[in-house]
Amino acid sequence: MEVGASGFVRDALAATGLFAGLGPDSLGQLCESATPVTLSGGEWLFRQGDEGDALYVVAGGRLDVVVDDGDRSVVVRTCRRGDVFGELAIVCEAQRTASILAVRDSEVWRIERAHVEALLRESPEFAIALTRFLGDKVRTAPVPVAPPPQRRPSVLAVLAVGRVEVSRIVDAISAAVGDTLLVVAAGSHAGTDPGSWPALVDAAEADGRTALLVAEATDSAAWHHFCVSHADRSAVVVAAGTSIDETAVPRGCDLVVVGTLERRRLRAWLDSCSPRAHHLVAGPGDSAGFARAARRVTGTSVGVVLSGGGARGLGHLGVLAGLADAGLAVDRVGGTS
């Protein structure tokens, strides 16, 4: 992509709070100096303690700001399209105070320190905007006193391996998420231009919706790769009688097995594919099984931990019965005596 000549880049920067007040000349100079950087999911852009030699604007994807205090690492902020980071290290001529991790495939624009400093000297409006931007960031900065709760995924992917029907798990995920779900399948919303696909994800997140990317076995390899690389969590659906190729199953996915699978073969699949979790569904008609798997994948499942033994077990039965009467499905049960 030729960044300097791209009106898209110019419009995106102009919509960013830090650069919104720039005149056409200053904005054009900024666009000419920006260079694109692409990151794969799980890749670090820079680490805490690195030299602060540039600031970045998020063009697409999602990145976490991670602070390491020696004993643990804490995610203090998430950056999405249009967000700016890295400016403090430039202004202070200091090392990075946090690390940046790409949660999924992402693209950022890099603007070197020299270009930022030149713009500060030549553009009073940019100097004022940067001062206000830094002040707002300091004023609203969260204090990382404890690890944040595990967040629900905002971009999900369902991928079929072999001849298996995925509509039931898609319907179950729709029921678990509700009307904030946007289902994107190849040939429908997605279209045929791979360059337009990331915008679908960004638009869904900007509207506060959950995007579900659906890849059938007959869809293109490019669409399958996009779905995996842009999802926070992927569910691979496979029929029990399928000969599975571990290269078709991304590591860290949720493996949904439809049908009866002998324990030895299941263990072989788990060893070769290393899924994040696995879910067993009795067959295509097992609506409860699909619903349970969908709740686990979407982060909406309910778990109950029972403590104490003996006569208290009768009380546990009453609690579980009460939850069932209230229409609350329990997906996981733990216990300690």
Side-chain angles (χ1 to χ4, degrees), residues 18 40 47 57 64 91 128 132 145 161 176 229 258 268 271 288 294 320 325:
L18 179 57
S40 300
R47 303 300 293 263
V57 182
D64 278 346
V91 173
I128 294 172
R132 289 174 176 167
V145 294
V161 173
S229 62
V258 182
D271 289 343
L320 295 175
D325 291 341

Short mmCIF file of all heavy atoms in Angstrom, two decimals, residues 18 40 47 57 64 91 128 132 145 161 176 229 258 268 271 288 294 320 325:
data_model
loop_
_atom_site.label_atom_id
_atom_site.label_comp_id
_atom_site.label_asym_id
_atom_site.label_seq_id
_atom_site.Cartn_x
_atom_site.Cartn_y
_atom_site.Cartn_z
N LEU A 18 -6.04 13.05 17.92
CA LEU A 18 -4.77 13.75 18.01
C LEU A 18 -4.49 14.59 16.77
O LEU A 18 -3.87 15.65 16.85
CB LEU A 18 -3.64 12.73 18.21
CG LEU A 18 -2.21 13.28 18.29
CD1 LEU A 18 -2.10 14.32 19.41
CD2 LEU A 18 -1.23 12.15 18.52
N SER A 40 1.11 -10.17 12.93
CA SER A 40 0.30 -11.37 13.07
C SER A 40 -0.20 -11.47 14.50
O SER A 40 0.41 -10.93 15.43
CB SER A 40 1.12 -12.62 12.72
OG SER A 40 1.59 -12.56 11.39
N ARG A 47 8.50 -3.94 23.06
CA ARG A 47 8.44 -4.39 24.46
C ARG A 47 8.77 -3.26 25.41
O ARG A 47 9.47 -2.31 25.06
CB ARG A 47 9.41 -5.57 24.68
CG ARG A 47 9.19 -6.77 23.78
CD ARG A 47 7.80 -7.37 23.93
NE ARG A 47 7.60 -7.97 25.23
CZ ARG A 47 7.73 -9.27 25.48
NH1 ARG A 47 8.06 -10.10 24.49
NH2 ARG A 47 7.53 -9.75 26.67
N VAL A 57 -0.42 4.67 14.88
CA VAL A 57 -1.86 4.82 14.74
C VAL A 57 -2.41 3.48 14.25
O VAL A 57 -1.88 2.90 13.29
CB VAL A 57 -2.23 5.93 13.74
CG1 VAL A 57 -3.75 6.09 13.66
CG2 VAL A 57 -1.57 7.25 14.12
N ASP A 64 -3.15 -5.11 22.51
CA ASP A 64 -3.20 -4.90 23.95
C ASP A 64 -1.99 -4.11 24.41
O ASP A 64 -0.86 -4.33 23.94
CB ASP A 64 -3.22 -6.24 24.69
CG ASP A 64 -4.62 -6.85 24.75
OD1 ASP A 64 -5.59 -6.14 24.46
OD2 ASP A 64 -4.72 -8.04 25.09
N VAL A 91 7.78 12.30 23.38
CA VAL A 91 7.79 13.60 24.04
C VAL A 91 8.82 13.63 25.16
O VAL A 91 9.54 14.61 25.35
CB VAL A 91 6.39 13.94 24.57
CG1 VAL A 91 6.42 15.22 25.40
CG2 VAL A 91 5.41 14.10 23.42
N ILE A 128 -0.61 21.91 20.49
CA ILE A 128 -1.72 22.05 21.43
C ILE A 128 -2.52 20.74 21.50
O ILE A 128 -2.88 20.28 22.59
CB ILE A 128 -2.63 23.22 21.00
CG1 ILE A 128 -1.88 24.54 21.14
CG2 ILE A 128 -3.91 23.24 21.84
CD1 ILE A 128 -2.63 25.73 20.57
N ARG A 132 -3.10 18.33 24.85
CA ARG A 132 -4.41 17.94 25.35
C ARG A 132 -4.59 16.43 25.33
O ARG A 132 -5.18 15.84 26.24
CB ARG A 132 -5.49 18.60 24.50
CG ARG A 132 -5.60 20.12 24.72
CD ARG A 132 -6.57 20.75 23.75
NE ARG A 132 -6.74 22.17 24.03
CZ ARG A 132 -7.33 23.03 23.21
NH1 ARG A 132 -7.82 22.59 22.05
NH2 ARG A 132 -7.45 24.30 23.54
N VAL A 145 -4.35 -2.45 39.42
CA VAL A 145 -4.18 -3.01 40.76
C VAL A 145 -4.40 -4.51 40.78
O VAL A 145 -4.01 -5.19 41.72
CB VAL A 145 -5.16 -2.33 41.73
CG1 VAL A 145 -4.80 -0.86 41.89
CG2 VAL A 145 -6.60 -2.47 41.25
N VAL A 161 -14.40 -28.59 9.11
CA VAL A 161 -13.38 -29.49 8.58
C VAL A 161 -14.10 -30.72 8.04
O VAL A 161 -14.77 -31.44 8.79
CB VAL A 161 -12.35 -29.89 9.65
CG1 VAL A 161 -11.41 -30.95 9.12
CG2 VAL A 161 -11.56 -28.67 10.10
N ALA A 176 -26.82 -17.58 21.98
CA ALA A 176 -26.03 -17.24 23.16
C ALA A 176 -25.67 -15.77 23.20
O ALA A 176 -25.65 -15.15 24.26
CB ALA A 176 -24.77 -18.11 23.20
N SER A 229 -7.14 -15.77 11.56
CA SER A 229 -6.19 -14.74 11.97
C SER A 229 -6.86 -13.51 12.57
O SER A 229 -6.20 -12.74 13.29
CB SER A 229 -5.33 -14.31 10.77
OG SER A 229 -6.13 -13.75 9.74
N VAL A 258 -18.78 -33.64 16.49
CA VAL A 258 -20.18 -34.01 16.34
C VAL A 258 -20.26 -35.51 16.06
O VAL A 258 -19.76 -36.00 15.06
CB VAL A 258 -20.83 -33.23 15.18
CG1 VAL A 258 -22.31 -33.60 15.06
CG2 VAL A 258 -20.67 -31.73 15.39
N ALA A 268 -5.94 -38.97 20.47
CA ALA A 268 -4.99 -38.74 19.37
C ALA A 268 -5.24 -37.38 18.72
O ALA A 268 -4.29 -36.65 18.39
CB ALA A 268 -5.10 -39.85 18.33
N ASP A 271 -3.98 -34.66 21.13
CA ASP A 271 -2.52 -34.59 21.16
C ASP A 271 -1.95 -33.92 19.92
O ASP A 271 -0.97 -33.18 19.98
CB ASP A 271 -1.93 -36.00 21.30
CG ASP A 271 -2.18 -36.60 22.67
OD1 ASP A 271 -2.50 -35.82 23.60
OD2 ASP A 271 -2.08 -37.83 22.82
N ALA A 288 -29.08 -29.44 22.75
CA ALA A 288 -28.51 -29.05 24.04
C ALA A 288 -26.99 -29.07 23.99
O ALA A 288 -26.32 -28.22 24.57
CB ALA A 288 -29.03 -29.98 25.14
N ALA A 294 -21.71 -23.69 22.39
CA ALA A 294 -21.77 -22.28 22.00
C ALA A 294 -21.56 -21.37 23.19
O ALA A 294 -20.86 -20.35 23.09
CB ALA A 294 -23.12 -21.99 21.34
N LEU A 320 -29.08 -27.11 42.53
CA LEU A 320 -29.06 -27.42 41.10
C LEU A 320 -30.48 -27.51 40.54
O LEU A 320 -30.74 -27.05 39.41
CB LEU A 320 -28.31 -28.73 40.86
CG LEU A 320 -26.81 -28.71 41.21
CD1 LEU A 320 -26.20 -30.09 41.04
CD2 LEU A 320 -26.08 -27.70 40.32
N ASP A 325 -34.96 -25.09 37.43
CA ASP A 325 -36.32 -24.57 37.39
C ASP A 325 -36.35 -23.12 36.90
O ASP A 325 -37.34 -22.68 36.28
CB ASP A 325 -36.96 -24.65 38.77
CG ASP A 325 -37.23 -26.09 39.20
OD1 ASP A 325 -37.26 -26.97 38.31
OD2 ASP A 325 -37.40 -26.33 40.41
#
